[in-house]
Amino acid sequence: MKERLTSRFWLFLVLLPLLSLLQGCPVKEDPPVTDEEAEKIAADPDYKAKSFLRKEYMNVYYYWRDQVMSRNAAYKPYDYEIYDFFDALLYSSDRWSWMSDKEYYVSSETGVYTGTWGVSLAQAVDLGDYSIHIRYMYPGSPFEEFGVTRGAVITRINGTSVEDDENGFTQEKLNYFNENYGKSPQTFTFRLVDGRDTTFTAQKAMSLSTSPVLETRVFQPDEFPGLTEPVGYFHYLSFLANFLDDIDAAMKTFLDAGVKKLIVDLRYNGGGDSRASQRLIDYLAPASTEGLPYVVRHFNNYLRSQDKSFSDENNTSYISEGVSHLDLDGLYFIVGSGSASASEMVINGLRPYMGDKMQLVGNTTYGKPNGMYVFIYPGSDSDYDRFYDDDFSTLQWVFLPICFYNMNSEGDQIPDTGFVPDNKRIDDVFHDFGVEEDLIKACLTHIATGEYPLAMEPKTKATVRSGARMHLEEEEPGYGRYVLPRPDKVK
């Protein structure tokens, strides 16, 4: 379960301008409305936003525009709440588009969260364990001072069991957890990774500043049997354009250490801004690939027919020249169902250039072969000027409809069903990130020996007992994003 800490956690999104390509086209006037309709319109505080969404965004940029435009014209915005109206406008096969309010979007982009425990939670259901584990924790989390790390289990809240014990993890326990976990202050009992139980009362952080780089470290030969060289580990939670310096700092650590084998942990990375994915690809791609393409974006027929700037050749991104490439001889991506969109784009973009030097370890990725623009409401030029100056004073809604599909230099798309890893393994939420964590250990073992160790075996339907299952963010419709900046607003 995600505490909405990263919207990121947040897809393969794109920020582009409201282009003037339609200025020469005839504009249809809105039909007259009846008195009854006028009353409904006046009573709907989001009527203008919904109308703007359909007319200015969905009728122009949406990838499936031609398939839905006639149908959508019949919908009356005042018959829907704004989230329901957005969903109604989508193509039947579109499981990726989404929207958000101002607060959620701004928190996800700035990395500043208010009223939070600063952690993400999960269950090891595939291993038959329904207890609630910390799957990662931001530095500065209120739990940190009490020795809580990834792998710790919440066993009690206010003395009431929320553990998968001899009585199982029932729906009643999950309901109690959902009702009480978010209250602050709150008394928790945790079972730490060393087996000790600890009980404490904590209060949510009023404001927690986070970085998408969860961990940067270099494993030395004396830390793992068989290693003969330093191995880098980079745990990256989201591609955020405001934190490019964090990527630079991490990569400098690896360059200074002479790292030629790198583990990039994207298991919880739902994507983000193309400026961040570009920065990461530039470091990871071989120096010999400078100037070569890594992604081509394909738009709907209407846009491509109206303006050549939407052609494939004008929407190709290239590996930058004159940068400090790591020039790796081994690249391991740790992935899972939370690896989406921009994460998958990075993998897909590097596949033609890394070959057998690149390995995927973990579980099948999310499967998001497309990307979006970030559209805002209100959406005047001045509103966009403020938005790109990080002034959100007028922002009300953010719309993220799918607007293009992505291909790599060989024309390969990201599979709808996701990338299947070279070595399939279940997320090990029992250990903190390090040499004992199963996925990291698997990468290090392969580097040291050329072979992967045996994986933890999932429980079969016949052997696993049932239990209540919490909802994870990556299971929500619309998870994952990739963002491009407006060309005329790049700073």
Side-chain angles (χ1 to χ4, degrees):
M1 182 178 78
K2 202 139 175 89
E3 208 190 326
R4 285 194 175 263
L5 291 175
T6 47
S7 89
R8 314 184 269 30
F9 278 166
W10 300 77
L11 304 175
F12 205 70
L13 315 175
V14 182
L15 306 174
L16 281 181
L18 304 182
L19 300 178
S20 59
L21 59 92
L22 298 180
Q23 289 181 353
C25 300
V27 178
K28 294 182 179 179
E29 298 199 5
D30 294 330
V33 298
T34 65
D35 291 343
E36 181 181 359
E37 288 176 321
E39 290 180 6
K40 292 179 179 179
I41 291 171
D44 183 355
D46 294 315
Y47 182 84
K48 290 183 178 179
K50 289 179 282 190
S51 298
F52 195 88
L53 162 67
R54 177 171 59 185
K55 183 177 181 181
E56 302 295 336
Y57 297 151
M58 300 298 286
N59 286 357
V60 180
Y61 300 96
Y62 189 48
Y63 188 78
W64 294 280
R65 169 193 181 273
D66 294 344
Q67 289 88 338
V68 302
M69 189 171 173
S70 295
R71 181 202 68 186
N72 290 351
Y75 295 151
K76 304 297 184 183
Y78 49 69
D79 286 336
Y80 302 83
E81 295 295 330
I82 191 165
Y83 285 98
D84 294 333
F85 186 69
F86 181 84
D87 289 343
L89 298 179
L90 302 181
Y91 183 57
S92 58
S93 299
D94 181 2
R95 65 182 177 93
W96 302 282
S97 296
W98 60 291
M99 65 167 288
S100 77
D101 60 17
K102 167 183 175 177
E103 288 72 21
Y104 178 66
Y105 185 81
V106 171
S107 291
S108 70
E109 292 302 302
T110 61
V112 178
Y113 301 91
T114 58
T116 179
W117 295 120
V119 299
S120 174
L121 307 174
Q123 299 164 294
V125 174
D126 289 337
L127 296 172
D129 181 356
Y130 287 82
S131 288
I132 299 171
H133 298 254
I134 301 291
R135 66 174 179 176
Y136 66 84
M137 182 170 70
Y138 283 112
S141 162
F143 295 157
E144 189 175 39
E145 64 178 292
F146 301 103
V148 175
T149 63
R150 168 183 164 85
V153 177
I154 302 177
T155 59
R156 293 181 178 273
I157 298 179
N158 283 331
T160 299
S161 174
V162 290
E163 183 182 8
D164 187 7
D165 52 21
E166 65 275 5
N167 298 314
F169 189 70
T170 62
Q171 186 63 47
E172 287 73 21
K173 287 186 177 180
L174 180 58
N175 292 342
Y176 181 84
F177 174 87
N178 289 336
E179 291 168 4
N180 293 277
Y181 172 72
K183 295 177 181 178
S184 178
Q186 185 60 276
T187 300
F188 295 96
T189 299
F190 275 87
R191 182 160 300 122
L192 305 180
V193 292
D194 62 6
R196 293 181 297 117
D197 286 347
T198 181
T199 299
F200 58 85
T201 299
Q203 188 159 327
K204 286 185 174 181
M206 295 298 293
S207 179
L208 182 63
S209 296
T210 66
S211 166
V213 179
L214 189 65
E215 187 165 349
T216 301
R217 66 180 296 181
V218 177
F219 296 109
Q220 298 295 342
D222 60 356
E223 294 183 75
F224 193 83
L227 279 190
T228 60
E229 60 182 311
V231 176
Y233 175 72
F234 179 60
H235 195 132
Y236 194 47
L237 289 172
S238 182
F239 293 86
L240 299 181
N242 292 331
F243 295 87
L244 299 184
D245 289 347
D246 291 31
I247 298 176
D248 294 337
M251 298 301 134
K252 185 177 187 303
T253 297
F254 303 138
L255 286 164
D256 291 346
V259 163
K260 291 300 176 183
K261 291 183 173 64
L262 178 65
I263 302 167
V264 179
D265 199 332
L266 301 178
R267 73 183 88 181
Y268 310 130
N269 190 314
D273 194 295
S274 68
R275 288 166 288 184
S277 60
Q278 173 83 55
R279 187 67 60 93
L280 184 59
I281 278 183
D282 286 341
Y283 282 110
L284 301 183
S288 60
T289 63
E290 286 191 356
L292 297 180
Y294 68 84
V295 65
V296 180
R297 291 173 289 274
H298 184 75
F299 293 86
N300 69 38
N301 292 333
Y302 177 70
L303 287 175
R304 289 187 291 117
S305 69
Q306 294 294 315
D307 193 307
K308 65 180 181 180
S309 65
F310 287 96
S311 65
D312 291 354
E313 55 269 30
N314 287 325
N315 286 279
T316 299
S317 292
Y318 301 87
I319 296 165
S320 300
E321 300 181 11
V323 300
S324 300
H325 305 281
L326 291 174
D327 257 348
L328 301 166
D329 55 38
L331 176 59
Y332 294 77
F333 284 107
I334 293 179
V335 295
S337 61
S339 307
S341 204
S343 291
E344 294 171 301
M345 186 280 298
V346 168
I347 293 168
N348 197 45
L350 289 172
R351 286 171 80 91
Y353 305 125
M354 295 300 295
D356 293 338
K357 293 181 180 179
M358 190 172 83
Q359 294 275 299
L360 304 186
V361 176
N363 220 325
T364 304
T365 65
Y366 181 82
K368 187 170 186 296
N370 41 39
M372 310 103 114
Y373 295 153
V374 176
F375 290 127
I376 65 171
Y377 182 82
S380 69
D381 286 346
S382 59
D383 291 315
Y384 274 94
D385 287 340
R386 280 188 288 267
F387 183 76
Y388 290 116
D389 282 334
D390 294 329
D391 175 357
F392 307 111
S393 57
T394 63
L395 181 65
Q396 296 179 29
W397 301 105
V398 179
F399 304 111
L400 308 162
I402 293 298
C403 296
F404 58 87
Y405 266 67
N406 304 287
M407 301 171 288
N408 65 17
S409 61
E410 296 181 345
D412 297 326
Q413 288 187 1
I414 298 162
D416 283 6
T417 53
F419 287 117
V420 177
D422 299 285
N423 183 245
K424 193 164 186 177
R425 313 183 79 85
I426 297 169
D427 190 15
D428 176 11
V429 295
F430 302 97
H431 295 92
D432 199 0
F433 300 114
V435 296
E436 294 302 320
E437 195 276 329
D438 186 69
L439 278 70
I440 298 173
K441 186 176 183 179
C443 296
L444 293 173
T445 301
H446 192 268
I447 292 169
T449 69
E451 302 289 338
Y452 288 107
L454 293 176
M456 297 184 290
E457 288 293 326
K459 298 289 185 178
T460 65
K461 291 182 179 179
T463 60
V464 66
R465 70 171 185 263
S466 61
R469 189 171 180 272
M470 68 198 323
H471 189 71
L472 298 175
E473 181 189 1
E474 55 263 36
E475 296 169 338
E476 297 177 3
Y479 177 77
R481 64 177 180 175
Y482 172 73
V483 191
L484 291 179
R486 279 174 60 159
D488 61 331
K489 295 296 180 183
V490 177
K491 297 180 180 179

